[in-house]
Amino acid sequence: MNAQDLKAPIEYLKGVGPARADLLRTELNIHSFQDLLSLFPYRYIDRTQFYKISALQNTNAEVQIIGKITAVKMVPQKRGKRMVAVFEDETGQMELVWFQGHKWIRENIKTNTPYLAFGKLKWFGNKPSMPHPELDLLEDFEKKKAQRMQPVYPSTEKLQKRGLTNRKMNTMTFNLLKQCTKGFTETLPEEIREKHKLVSKTKAIFDVHFPASVQDLERARFRLKFEEFFYVQLQLIRRNLVAKHKIKGFPFPEVGDYFMDFYKNHLPFELTHAQKRVLKEIRKDLRSNAQMNRLLQGDVGSGKTIVGFLSMLIAIGNGYQACMMAPTEILAIQHFEGISELAEKVGLNVKLLTGSTKTKERRLLHEELASGELHILIGTHALIEDKVKFKNLGLAIIDEQHRFGVAQRAKLWKKNSLPPHVMVMTATPIPRTLAMSVYGDLDISVIDELPPGRKPIKTVHRYDANRLKVFKFLKDELTKGRQAYVVYPLIEESDNFDYKDLMDGYESIVRYFPKPDYQVSIVHGKMKPEDKAFEMQRFVEGKTQIMVATTVIEVGVNVPNASIMLIESAERFGLSQLHQLRGRVGRGAEQSYCVLLTGHKLSKDGKTRLETMTQTNDGFKIAEVDLKLRGPGDLMGTQQSGVLQLKIADLVQDGSILALARKEAHVLLKEDPKMLLPKNSMVNFTYQTNMKNKQLWNYIS
Ligand code: ADP
Ligand code: MG
């Protein structure tokens, strides 16, 4: 069989046929012979170990035992019958059990003949049994020269039910590989393979399915991971280079008068070094002819807003408009208020547009926007509705981008002849490995320094049983004039059960903190936007001391006097959410606290999350742990990312391989940007083939 034959549709493979082919396509995305070979095992069963019946441990482990079937009987049960075989070795007896397929077994099973039984153990008291074992005549097993490390393939219930069991997948793959006597086309340059001691493609493919040893398996996996990363990186790096050349943007030759005036006369505080550095990076982008695509990362409270605002001033100083989009109405209002205050100082016109903007105001706003009278528009995703037409949008800032879909971002971009410069601000720190892979085509700026004078937030974990002590502590802090948030989990906006928790909690707090000494606000997703804004405003102005809320306050809200964040059922929150919530406090000069309340029962992951929170305030460390716990798919909606649909490599575990592959991809492209040198022809061919099959996530554009 040669490379061309491997493209054959999967139904032509022996033992597959049209019905199973359909299943393989829909369940596992396997269309061709080649796809089957690219379905890599996710684990391996060690079949080098044999057990004796008397030595079995009371676990549900998968084991293999050599023995003989001495008797078979049918046992009636509630529904139908089960078939039970007595299986013996020289040390004892156990039962093999079948709930279906009796006829076939009865006709095929041989008694008093050595078998190898393999499967999961079940225990009834101290009696072991094995339901639906894999049975091989010992003779056959030895002839097959037993795969020592038996591959286990990803599967679904449907596949299992229709007979595409792991054993079947195993046989199919094994037989297919046997036909591939000519081996596989090599897809990595000799030079790179030698340098990093990578095994050949052929050996890697054979060994990843049926390795003879753990070492062989490791080498095979290393090579395949390297290859996978290498081609993803080639794509990302090339797109980056290409994008830089191709996408034109508005050049802003000067910083302009607005910027100069504000910077010299109205800056409310000295910028941190990190803020200045980032601003320089942005300035450089804006001065060039290319469109800026920059991700601005900075932990909560690091001061991204002012950087965004100063960038807006540059756009406006060059005769363009700017907008800022926020994920929630509350946040949009806050940005509007904050930025209006700053913009007023240099005489700029700022307006707010959200879902609740009245028709009349909207009409005026649209007019001013079209005429260019309006300099800055701030709002929610209402900004990207088709009716909203700018005269000349020069800079779009998106705050907390992980809440926006790719399509929404693309819409912003279509508002001009040329795309506006885009800056995405996020407090969700993205671990380096992930950033390298996902944002290979996006420039990243990091504000890695907090404004001076901040005291690190003290975080503690307390059990529900100590609630009264916690409330007492809260009372003491309120007496000192501080304010507090009390947050309840709300996983689903529609989940009434969670609302009941929230309302019960609110009532108990009102009871413990009674009027008129205390004022308690509540904000949640079921409230009307204007009611939410009203309550929020009361809290901002210090008219209420406690804000009971769901995670609607998660992002961006800035109330420096609030110094306590009490999180109820903290075990139900994800790490990045907890970190975001904690970031709501610690914004003023006072010592701030974050209290994580939980029940007594905690899962292992839950414990890890709580420990991480109490041990560190560093958003990057937290993101690393989060990535480990959740895998990259969940993080910031990166499911949309084709890049992350890696077949074998793992962004968390394989960061070092990624770095190697990325380096080699850089070296190759530096020497041969278009991959036209003869020695790179095979890389180019593989690259083109991959591009056809895999659509990379189109970031922003
Ligand atoms: P985030 O990065 O979380 O969006 P903000 O932009 O809301 O942070 O800034 C947090 C707080 O820090 C605000 O009150 C802001 O005015 C203040 N701030 C920002 N930069 C500085 C600075 N260089 N010095 C002092 N305070 C600053
Ligand atoms: Mg912010």
Side-chain angles (χ1 to χ4, degrees), residues 304-305 335 399-400 556:
K304 295 183 289 293
T305 316
H335 274 316
D399 196 19
E400 298 304 342

Side-chain angles (χ1 to χ4, degrees), residues 252 254-267 271 275-276 278-280 282-283 286-287 306-318 342-343 345-348 395:
F252 298 160
E254 296 164 16
V255 291
D257 295 341
Y258 290 114
F259 181 96
M260 291 311 281
D261 180 18
F262 187 87
Y263 200 87
K264 279 200 187 122
N265 307 318
H266 306 289
L267 204 58
L271 295 185
Q275 283 169 323
K276 283 185 193 160
V278 166
L279 205 58
K280 270 193 202 131
I282 293 167
R283 172 71 199 116
L286 296 179
R287 198 190 288 140
I306 190 80
V307 173
F309 176 71
L310 287 165
S311 311
M312 286 179 164
L313 292 183
I314 298 177
I316 299 162
N318 284 274
L342 301 173
K345 304 207 163 102
V346 283
L348 290 176
L395 171 66

Side-chain angles (χ1 to χ4, degrees), residues 182-205:
K182 286 190 196 144
F184 302 96
T185 318
E186 182 52 60
T187 44
L188 286 175
E190 179 95 32
E191 227 180 290
I192 294 182
R193 273 183 45 214
E194 267 174 19
K195 185 166 164 198
H196 297 288
K197 302 200 172 60
L198 303 173
V199 298
S200 71
K201 176 88 168 193
T202 302
K203 182 158 171 55
I205 294 281

Side-chain angles (χ1 to χ4, degrees), residues 272 275 301-303 449-454:
T272 62
Q275 283 169 323
S302 61
E449 180 187 356
L450 291 180
R454 298 273 171 81

Side-chain angles (χ1 to χ4, degrees), residues 131-143:
H132 289 265
E134 269 183 40
L135 272 182
D136 278 300
L137 282 169
L138 188 60
E139 198 181 86
D140 292 349
F141 184 77
E142 273 163 3
K143 249 189 281 171

Side-chain angles (χ1 to χ4, degrees), residues 161-228:
K161 270 197 189 142
R162 309 273 190 86
L164 281 167
T165 56
N166 193 55
R167 191 182 167 103
K168 176 81 190 163
M169 296 294 288
N170 224 307
T171 316
M172 276 161 40
T173 309
F174 192 75
N175 289 339
L176 178 54
L177 277 173
K178 256 198 338 214
Q179 294 174 54
C180 299
T181 44
K182 286 190 196 144
F184 302 96
T185 318
E186 182 52 60
T187 44
L188 286 175
E190 179 95 32
E191 227 180 290
I192 294 182
R193 273 183 45 214
E194 267 174 19
K195 185 166 164 198
H196 297 288
K197 302 200 172 60
L198 303 173
V199 298
S200 71
K201 176 88 168 193
T202 302
K203 182 158 171 55
I205 294 281
F206 275 88
D207 285 359
V208 79
H209 291 288
F210 302 107
S213 68
V214 177
Q215 286 89 334
D216 280 354
L217 175 63
E218 282 311 308
R219 282 188 205 121
R221 287 173 61 84
F222 187 88
R223 186 231 136 94
L224 294 169
K225 286 173 180 181
F226 184 98
E227 174 177 349
E228 189 163 44

